[in-house]
Amino acid sequence: MKQKIRDLLKSRNAILLAHNYQPGEIQDVADMTGDSLELSIKASKTDADVIVFCGVHFMAETAVILCPDKTVLLPRTDAGCPMADMITAESLKKRLSELPEMPVVTYVNSSAAVKALSTICCTSANVVKVANSIDHHEMLMTPDRNLALYAAERTDKTIHIWDGCCPYHNALKPEDVTAARNVYPDAVFMAHPECPPDVLAMADVIHSTSGMIKFASESKAESFIVGTETGLLHGLSKANPGKRFYPVSTSLECAEMKKITLNDIVRSLEHMEGKVTVPEDIRRAALSSVERMIQLA
Ligand code: 13P
Ligand code: SF4
């Protein structure tokens, strides 16, 4: 199956990008795995004709925003992000009408239509840098309240918060961390900024998904409790064969990130199925907020 995918990719002049949460067998067949920021940058630089995006809808949409001349395939178009669905262009317009005029910083986990209304995008890897780059003291940060609270603690800016969250990361409780720490007392606890503040307060380090892989590779520690979606354990173990990684909770598994199968990738490439598109006016407006972020990277 993997050889078939590699052959199809070659014949279509396509590349396969997989988010760090994808099933292990998909990560293994991909040209590149990464966090949202790395995958956006890779998409913006490729000379392939086709990008097969294994992740969720907003990630494929970001590739379309950056690469309008390429065909972007999402092998399961129903793979979405519940957090991204917690804000719409209409609900954002309504909130903005209630606030004094201010810039909007939007997490890439959002629709193209919401990005189009935003000043700049951010990811979990660069949120503090993005907030500090804003030439204005106050800003609205959408849609993840946990990411916004994390940023607010690390900047002097005043951040207005949108009340969205990742239902998986947000469900994590301090008791889960305590239970994991009791079993693995020597392990370093790494947490993703989408976790709630009481969980982040217990973390030894806070990083994006790829930030965790880098940290674990550079750390002298031998074992780690992983405070993010369980798919990351695959990349962590692969990059660090001698080290041990334990999920903080086995229920931190994003059902949307686990929808795509190897069969879906074959079908998508054979029939060019799952094309993601964005209306041109929205794409152009969204591009300026995504590009503004990439220029900071
Ligand atoms: P990263 O940008 O850290 O990969 O996170 C994306 C995501 O969806 C986290 O839930
Ligand atoms: Fe969205 Fe959470 Fe899944 Fe990431 S893990 S794609 S934020 S639902």
Side-chain angles (χ1 to χ4, degrees), residues 25 51 142 245 284:
E25 65 269 24
I51 299 169
T142 78
F245 299 94
R284 277 175 188 277

Side-chain angles (χ1 to χ4, degrees), residues 19 21 36 55-59 80-84 86 107 109 144 165-170 192 194 228-229 252-257:
H19 187 264
Y21 294 160
S36 310
V56 290
H57 195 266
F58 77 80
M59 297 180 177
C81 168
M83 182 207 289
M86 293 180 191
Y107 193 22
N109 295 37
D144 185 7
C165 67
C166 166
Y168 302 101
H169 285 84
N170 193 57
H192 194 279
E194 288 177 15
T228 195
E229 211 274 345
L252 218 168
E253 185 170 299
C254 173
E256 299 297 312
M257 275 285 178

